[in-house]
Structures are given as structure tokens and as C-alpha cells.
């Protein structure tokens, strides 16, 4: 994309509405557009993503990011009822291994009441995000440089978050080890996965039992334009009343 050439993201309002019962307002659509432009520009030197074609970017970065927290999106305002998160004025989320800002930045744009920490261990990516956040005009996202296992031992972050997000980070059992120590009691971890196997689920169950977590649900779905297989795995931190067998 040249300095003078601006490629526009598709609006996709009907698909947003059909699949997530939500669509961005004009301001949010402009922020998504700006995010797209900044990522494409930053991609020249940082190798942030191989996905730069506008429809593919919309599906695999914007839509996919928000699909993981679909139950939190307006018009469902009552978060405690819809995702069983603790009801309070500001919920805290952490995007572990955020990379180019996904899923954290689209979620911060869609949910301005959510405080989102963008965590990554690569300084160049955090430096890039430090320019992106103010360019998007959002005040509910902040960056954090470090490794999740080290951050989880620090008092400002240990058991401090209501929501943990992990996308393209590693094996599900490893994601659980990263996420659960950062979550408050009753907090929720969302693991974004492609395919999902019985073997992965067995390994995950073994890992979370030692970490004080339960497997709340696994949602299977296909992406709206390319019909790709996706899964979202939801883990709950230490909440016995929500334990139930997965069907």
C-alpha cells in the first residue's frame, strides 16, 4: 500500500449482524480502518501478519477477534448475565502474546468499557503498538512488555484480570498455564483455536486441574467468508458451580 493509496476495508454490516448480532458504529468502523492501515504499514518492517488483503483481514483479524467474546457484545449489556463475569464498572482483560494487537485491539474498540492490556515479550511489537493505540484514539488499551509467566508473579498483575485472551500462542495446555495465574477467581480465559481434537482436550483437562481451572465450554463454528473451521475454548478460574461435563 503506497503512502497515497488507501485500501478500504469492507463494511460487512449484514455479516456482522447475522453472525454476531452486532455491528460497528461509524466511529468504530473508522477505527478498524485505521488499524488496518497501521498494521499494513507496520508489516513492511515488522512481519506482523501475512493477512493484508482487506476481506481476509476483516474475517481473520477483526471478525475472528470479536467472535471469541461474542456474548459480551452489545446489545447484550448485562455482562454478568451473558458471560458470567463479575459485575463491576470496569472489567480488566489481558491479551497474552498480542503480536500485532489481535484480538486485543478489535475488542478494545468494540468494548470501550473494557480495560485491555496488550502483553507481548517482543519489544519491537510493543513499540509498534505504542504508536498504534494513540493513533486509534482509544483510551482503554495499554501495552505491557514481558513474558506471561514472569508478569503473573508481579503483584499488579497476579490474579488481577477478569478476562484473558490467547490467540495463536501455542498448545492449549500451555495457554492455560499462561492465563489462569493472571485471572481473578471467577475469571474467564478465551483460547482461540483452529481445529480441536479429543487429544488436545484431554491434555488441557489434565493441565487445568492442577491450575485451579475448569473447562466451561468449547464452541465450534466456521468463519463467514472463507468457511474455515474455528473453535473457542472457555476456561473458568476456580468456580466449582460452573463445572459440568462437556457434551
Amino acid at each position: 500500500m503506497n503512502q497515497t493509496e488507501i485500501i478500504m476495508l469492507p463494511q460487512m454490516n449484514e455479516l456482522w449482524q447475522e453472525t454476531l448480532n452486532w455491528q460497528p458504529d461509524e466511529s468504530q468502523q473508522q477505527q478498524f480502518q485505521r488499524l488496518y492501515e497501521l498494521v499494513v504499514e507496520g508489516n513492511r518492517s515488522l512481519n506482523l501478519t501475512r493477512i493484508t488483503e482487506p476481506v481476509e483481514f476483516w474475517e481473520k483479524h477483526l471478525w475472528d477477534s470479536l467472535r471469541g467474546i461474542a456474548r459480551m457484545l452489545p446489545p447484550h449489556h448485562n455482562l454478568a448475565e451473558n458471560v458470567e463475569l463479575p459485575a463491576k464498572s470496569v472489567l480488566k482483560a489481558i491479551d497474552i502474546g498480542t503480536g500485532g494487537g489481535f484480538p486485543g485491539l478489535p475488542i478494545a474498540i468494540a468494548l470501550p468499557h473494557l480495560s485491555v492490556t496488550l502483553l507481548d515479550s517482543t519489544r519491537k511489537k510493543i513499540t509498534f503498538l505504542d504508536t498504534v493505540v494513540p493513533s486509534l484514539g482509544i483510551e482503554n488499551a495499554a501495552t505491557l512488555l514481558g513474558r506471561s509467566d514472569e508478569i503473573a508473579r508481579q503483584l499488579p498483575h497476579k490474579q488481577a484480570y477478569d478476562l484473558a485472551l490467547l490467540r495463536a500462542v501455542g498448545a492449549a495446555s500451555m495457554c492455560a498455564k499462561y492465563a489462569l495465574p493472571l485471572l481473578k477467581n471467577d475469571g474467564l480465559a478465551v483460547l482461540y483455536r483452529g481445529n480441536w481434537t479429543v487429544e488436545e482436550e484431554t491434555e488441557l483437562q489434565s493441565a487445568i486441574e492442577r491450575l485451579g481451572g475448569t473447562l466451561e465450554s468449547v464452541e465450534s463454528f466456521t468463519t463467514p467468508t472463507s468457511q474455515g473451521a474455528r473453535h473457542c475454548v472457555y476456561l473458568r478460574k476456580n468456580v466449582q458451580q460452573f463445572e459440568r461435563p462437556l457434551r
Side-chain angles (χ1 to χ4, degrees), residues 8 13 21 37 41 44 60 74 77 80 82 92 115 118-119 129 151 183-184 190-191 197 224 227 231 234 244 247:
M8 299 301 293
N13 284 342
N21 194 31
E37 293 168 12
E41 178 65 28
R44 295 173 173 176
K60 292 185 169 64
H77 294 295
N82 284 281
K92 293 178 64 177
S115 174
L118 306 168
L119 172 65
L129 292 174
I151 295 296
L183 288 174
K184 299 174 182 177
V190 184
L191 280 52
T197 66
Q227 304 302 307
H231 294 79
Y234 297 90
R244 54 181 178 269
R247 289 176 169 81

Coordinates of all heavy atoms in Angstrom, one line a residue, residues 8 13 21 37 41 44 60 74 77 80 82 92 115 118-119 129 151 183-184 190-191 197 224 227 231 234 244 247:
M8 N -9.7 0.4 1.3 CA -10.8 0.4 2.3 C -11.2 -1.0 2.7 O -11.3 -1.9 1.9 CB -12.0 1.2 1.7 CG -11.7 2.6 1.4 SD -11.1 3.6 2.8 CE -12.6 3.6 3.8
N13 N -21.6 -4.9 7.3 CA -22.6 -4.8 8.4 C -23.6 -5.9 8.5 O -24.0 -6.3 9.6 CB -23.3 -3.4 8.2 CG -22.5 -2.2 8.6 OD1 -21.5 -2.4 9.3 ND2 -22.9 -1.1 8.2
N21 N -24.7 -10.7 15.9 CA -25.8 -9.8 16.4 C -25.3 -8.5 16.9 O -25.7 -7.9 17.9 CB -26.6 -10.5 17.6 CG -27.9 -9.9 17.9 OD1 -28.5 -9.3 17.0 ND2 -28.3 -9.9 19.1
E37 N -4.9 0.1 8.3 CA -3.8 0.9 7.6 C -2.5 0.8 8.4 O -1.4 0.7 7.8 CB -4.3 2.3 7.4 CG -5.4 2.5 6.5 CD -6.0 3.9 6.5 OE1 -5.4 4.8 7.2 OE2 -7.1 4.1 6.0
E41 N 1.0 -0.9 7.1 CA 2.2 -0.1 7.1 C 3.3 -0.7 8.0 O 4.5 -0.9 7.5 CB 1.9 1.3 7.6 CG 3.1 2.3 7.6 CD 3.7 2.6 6.3 OE1 2.9 2.5 5.3 OE2 4.9 2.8 6.2
R44 N 5.5 -3.9 6.9 CA 6.6 -3.8 5.9 C 8.0 -4.1 6.6 O 8.9 -4.6 6.0 CB 6.7 -2.4 5.3 CG 5.5 -2.1 4.4 CD 5.5 -0.6 4.0 NE 4.5 -0.3 3.0 CZ 4.3 0.9 2.5 NH1 5.0 1.9 3.0 NH2 3.3 1.1 1.6
K60 N -10.3 -12.7 9.4 CA -9.3 -13.4 10.2 C -8.7 -12.6 11.4 O -8.2 -13.1 12.3 CB -8.2 -14.0 9.4 CG -8.7 -15.1 8.4 CD -7.5 -15.7 7.7 CE -8.0 -16.9 7.0 NZ -8.9 -16.7 5.9
P74 N -22.6 -5.6 22.7 CA -23.9 -5.1 22.7 C -24.7 -5.7 21.5 O -24.1 -6.0 20.5 CB -23.7 -3.6 22.5 CG -22.2 -3.4 22.8 CD -21.5 -4.6 22.5
H77 N -26.0 -6.0 27.1 CA -25.2 -5.1 28.0 C -24.9 -5.7 29.4 O -23.9 -5.4 30.0 CB -26.0 -3.8 28.3 CG -26.1 -3.0 27.1 ND1 -25.1 -2.4 26.4 CD2 -27.2 -2.6 26.3 CE1 -25.5 -1.7 25.4 NE2 -26.8 -1.8 25.3
A80 N -22.6 -9.7 33.4 CA -22.7 -10.8 34.4 C -23.7 -11.9 34.0 O -23.5 -13.0 34.3 CB -23.1 -10.1 35.7
N82 N -24.6 -12.6 30.7 CA -24.3 -13.2 29.5 C -23.0 -14.0 29.5 O -22.9 -15.0 28.8 CB -24.3 -12.2 28.4 CG -25.7 -11.8 28.0 OD1 -26.3 -12.5 27.2 ND2 -26.1 -10.6 28.5
K92 N -11.2 -5.9 33.5 CA -9.9 -5.9 33.1 C -9.6 -7.1 32.2 O -9.8 -8.2 32.7 CB -8.9 -5.8 34.3 CG -9.0 -4.5 35.0 CD -8.0 -4.5 36.2 CE -6.6 -4.6 35.8 NZ -5.6 -4.6 36.9
S115 N -11.1 -2.5 30.0 CA -9.7 -2.1 30.0 C -8.8 -3.3 29.5 O -8.8 -4.3 30.1 CB -9.3 -1.7 31.5 OG -7.9 -1.5 31.6
L118 N -2.3 -5.2 26.5 CA -1.7 -5.9 25.3 C -0.3 -6.4 25.7 O 0.6 -5.6 25.8 CB -1.6 -4.9 24.1 CG -3.0 -4.3 23.7 CD1 -2.7 -3.1 22.7 CD2 -3.9 -5.3 23.1
L119 N -0.2 -7.6 26.0 CA 1.1 -8.2 26.5 C 1.8 -8.9 25.4 O 1.3 -9.8 24.7 CB 0.8 -9.2 27.7 CG 2.0 -10.0 28.2 CD1 3.0 -9.1 28.8 CD2 1.5 -11.1 29.2
L129 N 2.9 -1.1 18.9 CA 1.6 -0.9 19.4 C 1.5 0.4 20.2 O 0.5 1.0 20.3 CB 1.2 -2.1 20.3 CG 1.0 -3.4 19.6 CD1 0.8 -4.6 20.6 CD2 -0.2 -3.3 18.7
I151 N 5.2 -12.0 34.4 CA 4.2 -11.0 34.7 C 3.2 -11.5 35.8 O 2.8 -10.8 36.7 CB 3.5 -10.5 33.4 CG1 4.4 -9.8 32.5 CG2 2.3 -9.7 33.8 CD1 5.0 -8.5 33.0
L183 N -5.6 -14.7 36.2 CA -7.1 -14.4 36.3 C -7.5 -14.3 37.8 O -7.0 -15.1 38.6 CB -7.9 -15.5 35.7 CG -7.9 -15.6 34.1 CD1 -8.6 -16.8 33.7 CD2 -8.6 -14.3 33.6
K184 N -8.4 -13.5 38.0 CA -9.1 -13.4 39.3 C -9.9 -14.7 39.5 O -10.3 -15.4 38.5 CB -10.1 -12.2 39.4 CG -9.4 -10.9 39.3 CD -10.5 -9.8 39.3 CE -9.8 -8.4 39.1 NZ -10.9 -7.4 38.9
V190 N -10.2 -17.1 27.3 CA -10.7 -17.5 25.9 C -9.5 -17.9 25.1 O -8.6 -17.1 24.8 CB -11.4 -16.3 25.3 CG1 -12.0 -16.7 23.9 CG2 -12.5 -15.7 26.2
L191 N -9.5 -19.2 24.7 CA -8.5 -19.7 23.8 C -9.0 -19.8 22.4 O -10.0 -20.5 22.2 CB -8.0 -21.1 24.3 CG -7.1 -21.2 25.5 CD1 -7.5 -20.4 26.7 CD2 -6.8 -22.7 25.9
T197 N -9.1 -31.2 18.9 CA -9.1 -32.7 18.9 C -9.4 -33.2 20.4 O -9.2 -32.5 21.3 CB -7.8 -33.3 18.5 OG1 -6.7 -32.9 19.4 CG2 -7.4 -32.8 17.1
P224 N -17.1 -16.6 8.4 CA -18.3 -16.3 7.5 C -18.0 -16.1 6.0 O -18.9 -16.3 5.2 CB -18.8 -14.9 8.0 CG -17.6 -14.3 8.8 CD -16.8 -15.5 9.3
Q227 N -15.3 -19.9 5.2 CA -15.8 -21.1 5.8 C -14.7 -22.0 6.5 O -14.7 -23.2 6.4 CB -16.6 -21.9 4.7 CG -17.7 -21.2 4.1 CD -18.7 -20.7 5.0 OE1 -19.3 -21.4 5.8 NE2 -19.0 -19.4 5.0
H231 N -12.5 -22.9 16.6 CA -13.0 -23.2 17.9 C -12.6 -22.2 18.9 O -11.5 -21.6 18.8 CB -12.5 -24.6 18.4 CG -13.0 -25.7 17.6 ND1 -12.4 -26.1 16.3 CD2 -14.0 -26.7 17.8 CE1 -13.0 -27.1 15.8 NE2 -14.0 -27.5 16.7
Y234 N -13.3 -22.1 26.4 CA -13.5 -21.2 27.5 C -13.2 -21.9 28.8 O -13.7 -22.9 29.1 CB -15.0 -20.7 27.5 CG -15.3 -19.9 26.3 CD1 -15.9 -20.5 25.2 CD2 -15.2 -18.5 26.3 CE1 -16.2 -19.8 24.0 CE2 -15.5 -17.8 25.1 CZ -16.0 -18.4 24.0 OH -16.3 -17.7 22.9
R244 N -19.3 -28.7 34.7 CA -20.3 -29.5 34.1 C -19.6 -30.3 32.9 O -18.6 -29.8 32.3 CB -21.4 -28.7 33.5 CG -21.1 -27.6 32.5 CD -22.3 -26.9 32.1 NE -22.0 -25.8 31.2 CZ -21.8 -24.6 31.6 NH1 -21.8 -24.3 32.9 NH2 -21.5 -23.6 30.7
R247 N -20.5 -31.6 26.4 CA -21.2 -32.5 25.5 C -20.8 -32.3 24.1 O -20.5 -31.2 23.8 CB -22.7 -32.3 25.7 CG -23.2 -32.8 27.0 CD -24.7 -32.5 27.2 NE -25.3 -33.2 28.3 CZ -25.1 -32.9 29.6 NH1 -24.4 -31.8 29.9 NH2 -25.7 -33.6 30.5

